[in-house]
Amino acid sequence: QERRDFVRAFEEWAKQERGFEGKFRFAEDLDTLAGSGGRIALLYADGNNMGELLQLMPSPASYRHFSQVLESATKEALFGAIWRVFGEERLKASSQPLPFEIIALGGDDVVVIVPAEYGWALALQLLKEFENHSGIRKLVQELSERLGESVLRRPVSLTLSAGLAIADVKYPVGFLFTLAEGLLKRAKKLARECRTSTLCHLWLRAPVISERADDVLDALYKRNSQQQTAMLTARPYTRQDAEELTSLARQLTELPATQRRALAEALEKGVHVSLNYALYQAARRREGEREGLRQVFQKLGQLLERRRTQDSAPVGFWFWRNVPQEGWKTTLLDALELIELGAEKHYPTGG
């Protein structure tokens, strides 16, 4: 019944906001939702530090106002993100079921399942729609004026974080939810440091026995050798950095698939081997393309330069950086995975 209620709510929103007339049909099962790719993405989003702000409300009336704006903005942000990512034509196609399944939607919580290649775009668009929602912007202003710096100690920031678990449709939903919950915790840790929307994702490409996000990420991406420890990922990302990563991934699609695979394999062999291979590949490109590829590699590394401590900043070359207290990290494999998943093409240009 709850599934039907969410679809009806989306129908009502589409009628009021997009002039849609008709009835939507939801997918009968997850296999149908997954489509020919056979993979799904479970997105779990939640507000950052909302509990702290609620505790600061001076009266029951202000508490209710805050909660109501939050709930309304979260729902409208999700519906708006769905409409923008999947597009009007796809959603209005009566011959096809809806390409999403809302599991939970209440307060500032969202749990939704979509075909795997759309998960990344939907997560980013949801974070953006929430931040830009008129009710949220107005609430930020109200809270700043009402509570003041003496109570808040820092500027008001109303944002979401998201955990995104992508896997074969055969995995139990409960397993994916636990994984997404762990990824969300990692995203929220970054949000506390950066005071902005954040996203942590994982594409489960091989069977694992753990459902702890930290263990799975280490198993898939941490590489130890006698010379160094390296992480072949830079997640979690702020929304802005994730958008930049998406843009850079699109530019990397100009490389042939064989070269992208070879780059991914070179990353497995360490910092120096992968840099040597990338230098070789760049040198082989035509003159105009050569500089473009070098710039993409450089910008991938610059995404990690923002992860500085008070005393030191990351150092490195191209897409590798030695991050203080964390070791060597790269964003390149994250970009290559987005391409392989087909995820980079679904985030709307310009947001």
Side-chain angles (χ1 to χ4, degrees):
Q1 179 58 44
E2 201 169 27
R3 290 171 63 202
R4 295 179 185 277
D5 290 344
F6 291 140
V7 171
R8 299 297 167 259
F10 181 65
E11 253 172 31
E12 189 60 33
W13 175 89
K15 183 178 179 180
Q16 290 181 0
E17 301 293 328
R18 300 292 186 268
F20 172 75
E21 295 290 344
K23 294 288 182 185
F24 290 121
R25 182 165 62 90
F26 51 78
E28 292 302 320
D29 52 44
L30 290 180
D31 287 302
T32 305
L33 188 65
S36 58
R39 292 189 292 259
I40 55 173
L42 188 145
L43 168 63
Y44 181 13
D46 183 47
N48 291 318
N49 301 316
M50 299 303 178
E52 284 180 30
L53 287 169
L54 278 167
Q55 295 302 317
L56 296 174
M57 294 299 105
S59 68
S62 59
Y63 188 101
R64 281 195 303 274
H65 172 64
F66 184 97
S67 300
Q68 286 164 0
V69 172
L70 211 55
E71 180 146 5
S72 175
T74 303
K75 182 179 76 171
E76 290 170 14
L78 175 62
F79 291 168
I82 286 169
W83 196 271
R84 189 146 171 79
V85 168
F86 289 103
E88 185 171 340
E89 188 177 343
R90 169 66 185 86
L91 291 168
K92 285 184 174 180
S94 57
S95 61
Q96 298 182 71
L98 287 172
F100 64 88
E101 175 81 58
I102 299 173
I103 306 298
L105 178 57
D108 57 347
D109 275 12
V110 172
V111 181
V112 60
I113 297 175
V114 293
E117 65 184 84
Y118 289 94
W120 175 262
L122 185 64
L124 286 184
Q125 194 64 32
L126 170 62
L127 300 183
K128 183 165 192 169
E129 296 270 351
F130 183 84
E131 272 189 68
N132 293 336
H133 190 278
S134 58
I136 292 299
R137 286 176 176 262
K138 189 177 177 186
L139 193 57
V140 167
Q141 189 176 352
E142 286 174 9
L143 290 171
S144 300
E145 292 171 356
R146 188 180 299 169
L147 298 175
E149 284 186 18
S150 59
V151 176
L152 292 167
R153 299 193 301 276
R154 62 171 76 95
V156 177
S157 173
L158 296 181
T159 59
L160 298 179
S161 286
L164 181 69
I166 302 165
D168 193 284
V169 71
K170 292 194 289 288
Y171 279 89
V173 170
F175 172 84
L176 291 182
F177 177 80
T178 302
L179 201 53
E181 196 173 28
L183 295 166
L184 176 61
K185 285 178 183 173
R186 287 177 71 101
K188 279 180 168 290
K189 183 175 183 291
L190 180 62
R192 285 193 294 274
E193 296 165 8
C194 300
R195 311 289 299 166
T196 189
S197 304
T198 56
L199 166 65
C200 191
H201 69 293
L202 174 64
W203 178 10
L204 204 57
R205 305 175 66 174
V208 292
I209 56 173
S210 175
E211 55 186 24
R212 280 174 43 83
D214 289 349
D215 293 344
V216 178
L217 283 166
D218 279 354
L220 293 177
Y221 297 105
K222 194 171 188 178
R223 300 293 180 268
N224 293 308
S225 68
Q226 289 181 333
Q227 292 81 22
Q228 64 203 14
T229 297
M231 277 295 278
L232 305 184
T233 181
R235 59 199 84 172
Y237 287 95
T238 64
R239 176 177 67 81
Q240 290 82 357
D241 285 353
E243 287 176 345
E244 175 71 4
L245 182 72
T246 309
S247 173
L248 294 170
R250 284 189 186 130
Q251 294 174 61
L252 284 173
T253 59
E254 295 173 13
L255 286 176
T258 51
Q259 284 186 28
R260 294 199 303 268
R261 278 195 296 274
L263 264 175
E265 290 167 6
L267 287 169
E268 292 277 355
K269 296 171 184 173
V271 176
H272 300 299
V273 172
S274 58
L275 284 173
N276 284 336
Y277 180 77
L279 282 163
Y280 169 68
Q281 286 299 339
R284 289 181 60 201
R285 307 288 288 175
R286 288 196 291 267
E287 193 168 343
E289 298 172 346
R290 191 182 308 149
E291 186 54 34
L293 184 58
R294 285 173 176 163
Q295 285 185 14
V296 170
F297 287 155
Q298 189 62 40
K299 287 176 181 176
L300 282 166
Q302 286 168 358
L303 286 176
L304 281 162
E305 286 181 2
R306 299 168 204 185
R307 305 191 184 182
R308 58 182 66 235
T309 63
Q310 200 167 2
D311 304 318
S312 56
V315 293
F317 181 69
W318 273 7
F319 43 79
W320 280 104
R321 289 293 185 277
N322 196 348
V323 181
Q325 301 174 3
E326 296 183 54
W328 286 98
K329 288 190 168 186
T330 180
T331 54
L332 178 56
L333 191 59
D334 291 340
L336 294 173
E337 278 193 3
L338 288 181
I339 298 169
E340 191 175 345
L341 193 59
E344 88 294 342
K345 60 193 176 200
H346 294 299
Y347 187 59
T349 305

